[in-house]
Amino acid sequence: GRTDCQILFHGGHPDCERKVAFFLPYYLDADQFQADEYFIALRAVAGFGTPSHRDYMGAILGLGIRRDFLGDIWVQENTATIFCLPSVADHIKLSLDKVGRYGVKITELSLAQVEAPIRKTKQVSFTVQSLRLDAITAGLFHVSRTIAAEQIRAGLVTLNYLPCLRPDAPIKEGDTLSLRGHGKGTVLEIGGQSRKGRLFIQGELYI
């Protein structure tokens, strides 16, 4: 492989799940990367309702914009923050005036103005035999380890916002997992062992 560049994944904000891979030349450090050259953040405000994430996605795709030109869409009450590539930003600003049954107004934000939505979480505790992705996925999302492994191999699980197809991938404190259809969770603490040698795990789920 090439040794004169490094790969940086970025989505416009540190909390974004959908990211673009950038190949940085050897002379450019990650902290010198100017995200605002490659991403636009738009703020949508619905006047008389609370459109859902699906409503926003359908409305934007209905403008003829492909999914791979869009990043995260953060919906909170009657507002949404939409991350997109600059090439489609003007089209969204000029054409997106209705989402679901509600009219919306679109303005552009600087990336520095974007604030991550406040997420509600709940604590979960469980034990695992080993710190494998399938075991932690099963514990976090209350599914069997067999089902967790099947979902991982099917590409339905992400580890730190990137797809991971290896059920035996090692997990550490601070890792964030998501299982399609079940949500997202984070491993907060890996504790001691039970008498049977199982590890105590503290995690949190986003609800």
Side-chain angles (χ1 to χ4, degrees):
R2 296 180 63 89
T3 59
D4 57 350
C5 67
Q6 61 173 313
I7 300 177
L8 171 69
F9 293 94
H10 209 294
H13 188 280
D15 286 356
C16 284
E17 294 188 22
R18 290 181 60 85
K19 300 176 187 289
V20 176
F22 294 92
F23 296 85
L24 305 184
Y26 69 92
Y27 54 81
L28 186 64
D29 293 330
D31 57 4
Q32 297 174 294
F33 178 76
Q34 299 295 318
D36 53 5
E37 295 183 12
Y38 302 96
F39 300 99
I40 298 292
L42 303 175
R43 172 65 51 80
V45 179
F48 300 100
T50 55
S52 68
H53 182 280
R54 178 176 294 185
D55 291 331
Y56 279 101
M57 182 66 67
I60 295 172
L61 296 182
L63 299 177
I65 294 172
R66 296 208 317 264
R67 181 67 178 97
D68 51 346
F69 284 77
L70 294 176
D72 281 20
I73 300 174
W74 293 344
V75 179
Q76 196 160 16
E77 297 180 348
N78 70 324
T79 67
T81 303
I82 303 164
F83 294 90
C84 64
L85 300 184
S87 58
V88 299
D90 285 342
H91 185 28
I92 295 174
K93 285 192 293 184
L94 293 173
S95 304
L96 187 65
D97 55 8
K98 188 174 183 180
V99 175
R101 296 181 290 115
Y102 309 107
V104 296
K105 293 185 178 181
I106 309 294
T107 55
E108 185 172 328
L109 300 173
S110 71
L111 296 184
Q113 292 177 295
V114 175
E115 296 182 1
I118 299 173
R119 303 181 187 274
K120 296 181 179 180
T121 62
K122 71 174 182 179
Q123 304 295 306
V124 293
S125 302
F126 55 94
T127 63
V128 294
Q129 193 68 45
S130 62
L131 296 173
R132 290 167 48 114
L133 178 58
D134 55 358
I136 300 294
T137 299
L140 268 178
F141 302 109
H142 301 290
V143 299
S144 73
R145 187 163 173 174
T146 299
I147 290 177
E150 292 173 351
Q151 301 292 287
I152 293 167
R153 294 191 184 98
L156 303 180
V157 173
T158 64
L159 174 58
N160 296 324
Y161 306 110
L162 297 174
C164 184
L165 303 178
R166 291 178 46 208
D168 64 344
I171 301 299
K172 62 185 184 303
E173 288 183 358
D175 282 348
T176 297
L177 288 67
S178 67
L179 172 60
R180 188 176 302 174
H182 289 75
K184 181 170 65 173
T186 299
V187 177
L188 298 178
E189 182 180 349
I190 299 172
Q193 291 186 345
S194 70
R195 292 180 180 178
K196 295 184 178 180
R198 294 178 66 85
L199 296 164
F200 292 102
I201 307 296
Q202 293 286 334
E204 67 178 5
L205 289 176
Y206 299 95
I207 58 177

